[in-house]
Amino acid sequence: MIERGTPSAAEPYSPQRRTAIVFSGTGTAGVYHAGVLRALHEAGVKLDVVAGRGIGAIAALFAAVDGGQRLWDEKGYWSDAAVRRFYGWQPSIRFVAAILLLSVAIVVLPVAAVVIGAVVFPIDFVLKIVGLSTGGGLVGAYLVMADRLFAPTALPTWLPRLVLLVLGAGVAALAVSAFARSDGRRLRNGGWWRLLRPPLTPDLAVAHTWTALWDLMRGAAQLKSPVPLELVRRYTEMLSENIGQPGFRELLISVHDVDAHRDLLFALVAPGRRTALVRRPTNEEADARHAEVIDLAGAARDHLADALAGSLAVPIVTEFHRMHFAAESYWRGESHRIADRPAGALRLIGELADLEVEQIILVSAAPETPGPHALTPLRLDLRARFGEYLQSSEAAMIRDISHASLSGGPSIFLIRPGHNAVGPFDFAGGYDDRSDRMRPLAELANDGYADAYHQFIEPVVGASGEAVGVTG
């Protein structure tokens, strides 16, 4: 069993062994990852391989090219105001919600007229008592207004038409949005299901990540940002040419292929390990590896964009990302739906063992399972409900890893919070019932920083009796 912050094997930590770090989580977990990475960087912990699933792919992409500091800088990735809009509502859903509110407001107009009358009559009565009202007073003016509003050619005529017009605009917007995203695949059970889109979108998070990576790669040069495909190629070329140099690490990202019913592994490893990554002894195993492994050091390097988009796609909550395979690939030009899978960290750990990794640092923002009398009030908003389930699934996955038998495998060192009040989609911060206050994202980064020291650097690295050495 892996205890919190302790190794799974009897052998202690050693900076001489091949070491990997796995970032696992969804949404705001990326802020926790940044805090942990900062602590490991300051302590000079050597890392040979970085791996990620979900939002952990972002930390892995930056750490692979010695850019982890861009995640925690004061003006870095997670300090940008754009982060507060990550996983926002789909534009079509926001438009339809505005349409519905407008429709309700229109329908409420007659009721509002009646409510105004209920206020006008007593006010007019008081004014007459004190002698400030003459002639018809407020009541007279109100009755004239009411006669005009409820005349046969006024509200009774144009109100239903206006409501129908507004609702029709909302339906038209949904229809245009639904059919504009058609990918040409045959639909079953009727195309009207296209109207029921997932509520959230990760598009801003994907775009923000590539923008931040370009700022890292261009340095101080004032160069115009290239198109996304060119940016991806520059990133993979830079990493391929520098793997093994200080600060540059091998990269693994795991996503789930919904159509193929299997996980995909996007990998960019040292040249001497590329053959071992794909080749297996039997033909059957070799076919499976070709179906699952995307070698980013070869012709498939452009798929790194799919790796990021797929990692940030959350099933049910967002659209699946559509990945188009090349005609000469194993999948012969097919288009598959890909997304994150909470248990993808298990797959990464198995792959790292095959890549001769001897010790793994597993980082997760999902808190430990609380004991009795630790229940919190239910959250009613939709995003929070999804977040609760995702965080619970993540915690269960970590528990499965903790109880798995890993005899003969790599040592696993776990870094995770004891308590986390910030949900996966709480990018504006989360309310902490324990302290009765809002917790900003900056505190989650500080938690990761402190947990890395208290759970790994001081008790594990410090107890190893060996110098950590330079950051690798």
Side-chain angles (χ1 to χ4, degrees), residues 374-391:
L375 298 178
T376 57
L378 295 177
R379 299 183 60 178
L380 300 180
D381 54 300
L382 187 61
R383 299 207 311 174
R385 287 294 184 92
F386 283 133
E388 286 179 333
Y389 172 76
L390 290 170
Q391 197 168 65

Side-chain angles (χ1 to χ4, degrees), residues 117-139:
V119 175
V120 165
F121 277 91
I123 293 177
D124 184 74
F125 177 74
V126 173
L127 292 177
K128 286 182 178 180
I129 289 178
V130 299
L132 297 178
S133 178
T134 59
L138 289 177
V139 171

Side-chain angles (χ1 to χ4, degrees), residues 55-106:
I55 203 77
I58 294 176
L61 285 171
F62 278 88
V65 292
D66 196 24
Q69 67 275 11
R70 295 299 180 96
L71 296 175
W72 64 75
D73 283 348
E74 291 184 2
K75 297 182 180 180
Y77 184 98
W78 291 110
S79 300
D80 196 294
V83 170
R84 296 174 65 90
R85 303 193 302 275
F86 279 12
Y87 289 94
W89 297 101
Q90 291 276 6
S92 59
I93 291 180
R94 292 200 301 267
F95 179 77
V96 170
I99 287 292
L100 291 176
L101 288 176
L102 180 58
S103 301
V104 171
I106 294 172

